[in-house]
Amino acid sequence: MSRQSVAANRASYAAGPSAANSAAANAKFLEKKKEFDAVSALHRASALYLQRIEGLAADVETMADAGQIHGEVLEQWPRMFQILNLFLASRDSSALGVDAEPSPAPELGERLVRIPLAALQGDVEETSRK
């Protein structure tokens, strides 16, 4: 034979003055849970923000390295034009059959280079449409 539970017939211990304490504790618990959830969300957002900033820092370092290399290349252009001018001068003098010394190097910036901007801008517009 099975015996019936007497728990249903017992008076609740939660009733009475301790019920107010329990409700206050429950409200405090819910408040702390909301606070914990907010701090957790802030922590996740901060971690994501940190990842983005680190990615930007890596991009900036790459651009700084590229700028330094670009500067080194630009630094070599005047010397390259000087060498080309010496070559052209020696070619011209050998074509004339004159054994003269090559003319002194012209001033920097004497040779102009034309860049087809319209064609470059058309290429940029085509790639931006894709």
Side-chain angles (χ1 to χ4, degrees):
M1 236 173 158
S2 72
R3 187 173 154 204
Q4 287 187 345
S5 173
V6 292
N9 297 332
R10 287 186 188 168
S12 173
Y13 290 107
S18 63
N21 289 341
S22 177
N26 196 15
K28 189 172 184 178
F29 172 75
L30 290 176
E31 180 183 333
K32 292 296 181 181
K33 185 176 182 317
K34 286 180 185 178
E35 185 178 330
F36 176 76
D37 291 343
V39 170
S40 295
L42 180 63
H43 180 70
R44 287 189 302 272
S46 297
L48 182 61
Y49 185 68
L50 176 65
Q51 288 176 346
R52 289 180 179 177
I53 293 296
E54 286 174 345
L56 285 173
D59 291 346
V60 168
E61 287 177 7
T62 302
M63 290 186 336
D65 292 342
Q68 183 176 2
I69 291 171
H70 184 72
E72 290 172 3
V73 169
L74 287 177
E75 185 179 325
Q76 299 300 319
W77 278 97
R79 179 72 180 141
M80 187 195 73
F81 283 128
Q82 185 181 18
I83 291 169
L84 285 174
N85 284 332
L86 288 174
F87 171 73
L88 291 174
S90 68
R91 189 177 70 176
D92 290 344
S93 65
S94 66
L96 295 174
V98 179
D99 288 336
E101 291 185 22
S103 61
E107 295 293 322
L108 295 178
E110 188 173 310
R111 178 157 309 214
L112 298 177
V113 178
R114 294 185 184 242
I115 300 174
L117 290 178
L120 291 175
Q121 289 174 345
D123 291 342
V124 170
E125 289 175 2
E126 288 177 12
T127 56
S128 65
R129 289 180 191 161
K130 291 181 182 179

